[in-house]
Amino acid sequence: MITYQIEKNLAAEEFISVLNRSTLGERRPVSEPERILQMLEHGNLIITARDHNRLIGVARSLTDFTYCTYLSDLAVDLAYQHQGIGKKLIRLTKLETPKAKLILLAAPKAIDYYPKIGMKQWEHCYFIDNEEEIISS
């Protein structure tokens, strides 16, 4: 039986494990446990899926709970994918932040997933990795 809950103290080791058992570990600093720990400490909405207490899925978000929710990490163990767990984690995230717009950047392997569950694509997204990249005028 899969259970879902909000977790405020998710262990970095568990998070790294589920990231590695999903496709998301390829794009997260899983070899930097201190950085992962900071990601968990500063994510203010973490919803997990567990099968008999084993972490099999996580949705980690940053939110103000009223205007904007950024779903930074959605990871589901490959052995549990295609069972609706990711969709349930997204639904529970949205239920915790009903007035906020839920926003995410799709991982390359998940681009086709989000439209299938009803999410809309927005083409006007920008990012920057380093302060040095900002052009002086």
Side-chain angles (χ1 to χ4, degrees):
M1 183 170 138
I2 297 172
T3 57
Y4 299 86
Q5 60 269 330
I6 294 173
E7 293 195 35
K8 297 187 186 291
N9 297 307
L10 183 61
E13 298 80 23
E14 269 193 305
F15 187 45
I16 290 168
S17 178
V18 79
L19 289 172
N20 284 330
R21 288 182 278 120
S22 74
T23 61
L24 205 52
E26 301 166 8
R27 287 166 306 288
R28 295 298 182 269
V30 293
S31 63
E32 300 176 58
E34 284 300 316
R35 194 168 172 197
I36 292 287
L37 183 60
Q38 289 179 347
M39 289 167 59
L40 290 168
E41 288 174 352
H42 296 290
N44 60 344
L45 179 59
I46 298 171
I47 301 177
T48 61
R50 293 183 177 273
D51 184 7
H52 297 92
N53 206 36
R54 180 176 189 239
L55 185 66
I56 59 162
V58 64
R60 185 184 73 88
S61 301
L62 304 145
T63 183
D64 58 21
F65 292 94
T66 191
Y67 183 73
C68 178
T69 298
Y70 173 59
L71 178 52
S72 179
D73 303 305
L74 179 67
V76 176
D77 184 319
L78 285 168
Y80 288 85
Q81 290 184 5
H82 307 290
Q83 297 179 35
I85 295 166
K87 186 183 341 185
K88 176 88 173 189
L89 288 166
I90 292 171
R91 178 175 276 121
L92 292 171
T93 299
K94 187 64 183 128
L95 286 170
E96 289 296 317
T97 61
K99 291 184 179 182
K101 184 178 294 287
L102 193 143
I103 302 162
L104 63 80
L105 297 174
K109 292 181 180 176
I111 289 173
D112 295 329
Y113 171 72
Y114 297 106
K116 289 178 185 175
I117 65 166
M119 294 187 79
K120 297 167 213 65
Q121 188 173 10
W122 183 255
E123 63 183 274
H124 305 287
C125 175
Y126 300 89
F127 75 94
I128 193 163
D129 285 321
N130 299 298
E131 167 272 327
E132 298 86 24
E133 295 176 271
I134 299 173
I135 299 170
S136 300
S137 51

